Amino acid sequence: MKSFESDVEAANAFHEAYHKLTAEISKVVVGQDEVVRLLLTSIFCQGHCLLIGVPGLAKTLLIQTISSVLDLDFNRIQFTPDLMPSDILGAETLDRDRNFKFIKGPIFANIVLADEINRTPPKTQAALLESMQEYAVTIAGKKYDLDRPFFVLATQNPIEQEGTYPLPEAQLDRFMFNVLLDYPSYEKEVEIVKNTTSDVRATAQHVLSAEEINFFQQLVRKVPVTDNVVEYAVELVHKTRPNSTKATSVTNEYLEWGAGPRASQFLVIGAKCNALLNGKYSPDIEDVKAVAKPTLRHRVVRNFKAEADGVSVDNIIDQLI
């Protein structure tokens, strides 16, 4: 890995690497620029993502492409009602000498796609919690560390809720971002069809290694941030809490629960990364706003009046911003 003489030089290299990453990803995945930005932001912030979108929007292809350009190990887990925790984490088995041997599960990868995470019971969903928070799993009393970088991308289908198990708030809070994946535009879909119905297959080239990703993750943490930006992020989170000193009339009217301190942390670290991606050396309030919706939308709970009035979480966040 190349060494840098200063953090400024490293920040410039990070900005350049981001443009190379998006250029390579766009060879395979057409459109979805905002989704790609948020996914890369969460990776460089050492966070995890919850991706919500209807079937057929290339969620799996997107994360496979990202793992390829980042030169990382990738595993996909299809969540089903009969999936057990050991199917994810691994289990101890007897070898031919009748000694216990630990067989690692698919969680032991750099990027893990948890496909349709709400299709499996809470017991299996909870198996991910320790790995997402502690970057380790515990089997039979022994702790196994996961390789860094480690990133969990969980997907959910918003239109099919039969036979599903909603993620508990404690687990939702472990995800840095909740990213909504929408249909492509008419022009983008024409381009998608042309690219995927010919005999020419686009491939993305490696851009960053695991060592470089770990370095840039630490660089993001070192970005200086002014007090007014931190205070804006914390105040925004406090505005989501009904009956608090910072609560607005919209909050008290439409929200049942607000976001916790982890939201404030993710807003600031996300703003730092967003600043570097845009060639800046320190975040401003606009960088906080750029990550506000994906950070807050899964951490606030609407009340019945909001649902009855057809007021979405994004509408409420827009008014708070």
Side-chain angles (χ1 to χ4, degrees):
M1 176 184 160
K2 179 184 176 182
S3 59
F4 301 101
E5 294 183 0
S6 67
D7 289 341
V8 171
E9 185 182 349
N12 292 335
F14 181 48
H15 175 62
E16 183 181 342
Y18 169 68
H19 285 289
K20 289 181 180 178
L21 286 170
T22 53
E24 289 298 320
I25 293 170
S26 65
K27 291 179 181 179
V28 180
V29 180
V30 177
Q32 307 298 356
D33 297 336
E34 178 68 6
V35 175
V36 169
R37 178 184 71 85
L38 292 173
L39 288 178
L40 291 176
T41 298
S42 62
I43 290 175
F44 288 114
C45 291
Q46 303 178 55
H48 307 287
C49 251
L50 181 63
L51 188 60
I52 297 179
V54 299
L57 295 184
K59 295 187 292 292
T60 302
L61 175 64
L62 173 59
I63 194 61
Q64 284 178 330
T65 305
I66 289 176
S67 65
S68 176
V69 298
L70 294 177
D71 196 16
L72 299 175
D73 291 332
F74 168 76
N75 277 334
R76 177 178 180 267
I77 307 171
Q78 181 64 52
F79 280 71
T80 58
D82 60 348
L83 199 71
M84 298 297 289
S86 58
D87 296 327
I88 299 172
L89 307 179
E92 285 195 326
T93 59
L94 282 171
D95 61 18
R96 62 179 62 186
D97 299 321
R98 301 191 64 81
N99 295 317
F100 281 106
K101 180 182 179 182
F102 177 62
I103 305 298
K104 293 182 178 180
I107 196 69
F108 286 86
N110 296 122
I111 295 184
V112 175
L113 173 59
D115 219 351
E116 294 192 286
I117 191 174
N118 58 333
R119 286 227 166 270
T120 202
K123 176 175 65 175
T124 307
Q125 291 174 355
L128 284 173
L129 278 175
E130 183 186 9
S131 62
M132 292 172 64
Q133 188 66 27
E134 308 295 336
Y135 298 95
V137 299
T138 302
I139 303 293
K142 186 174 180 181
K143 190 174 183 180
Y144 298 88
D145 291 325
L146 297 169
D147 291 335
R148 301 289 192 96
F150 176 72
F151 173 65
V152 173
L153 177 78
T155 68
Q156 283 189 181
N157 178 354
I159 62 174
E160 197 174 0
Q161 298 301 327
E162 294 82 5
T164 60
Y165 305 82
L167 289 174
E169 279 69 22
Q171 186 159 10
L172 281 175
D173 200 41
R174 295 311 198 276
F175 289 99
M176 179 177 181
F177 288 154
N178 179 349
V179 181
L180 302 182
L181 190 60
D182 203 357
Y183 293 107
S185 65
Y186 174 82
E187 293 78 10
K188 293 294 184 183
E189 191 161 345
V190 169
E191 189 176 346
I192 290 169
V193 173
K194 287 181 178 178
N195 291 350
T196 56
T197 55
S198 70
D199 60 348
V200 179
R201 300 300 296 269
T203 57
Q205 303 298 315
H206 298 322
V207 176
L208 292 178
S209 65
E211 184 184 7
E212 290 171 318
I213 295 166
N214 286 327
F215 173 81
F216 287 133
Q217 285 177 338
Q218 296 305 314
L219 178 67
V220 169
R221 295 269 169 178
K222 293 165 67 176
V223 171
V225 56
T226 58
D227 287 345
N228 72 303
V229 173
V230 174
E231 289 166 3
Y232 177 82
V234 174
E235 182 176 349
L236 181 58
V237 172
H238 273 256
K239 283 182 179 179
T240 68
R241 301 170 187 171
N243 303 315
S244 69
T245 56
K246 300 288 186 180
T248 66
S249 57
V250 173
T251 304
N252 292 329
E253 185 177 6
Y254 289 129
L255 291 183
E256 189 77 27
W257 296 99
R262 193 177 275 122
S264 301
Q265 295 170 335
F266 282 143
L267 280 175
V268 172
I269 193 71
K272 288 183 177 186
C273 185
N274 193 72
L276 290 181
L277 297 184
N278 287 288
K280 297 184 291 186
Y281 303 123
S282 181
D284 54 29
I285 288 175
E286 291 304 313
D287 293 302
V288 177
K289 292 179 179 180
V291 298
K293 282 186 182 179
T295 302
L296 295 175
R297 64 165 58 107
H298 58 301
R299 292 185 165 90
V300 298
V301 179
R302 292 179 300 160
N303 58 22
F304 176 76
K305 189 176 189 307
E307 296 183 19
D309 291 350
V311 179
S312 70
V313 170
D314 282 8
N315 292 149
I316 296 170
I317 296 172
D318 278 332
Q319 294 185 57
L320 297 180
I321 292 175

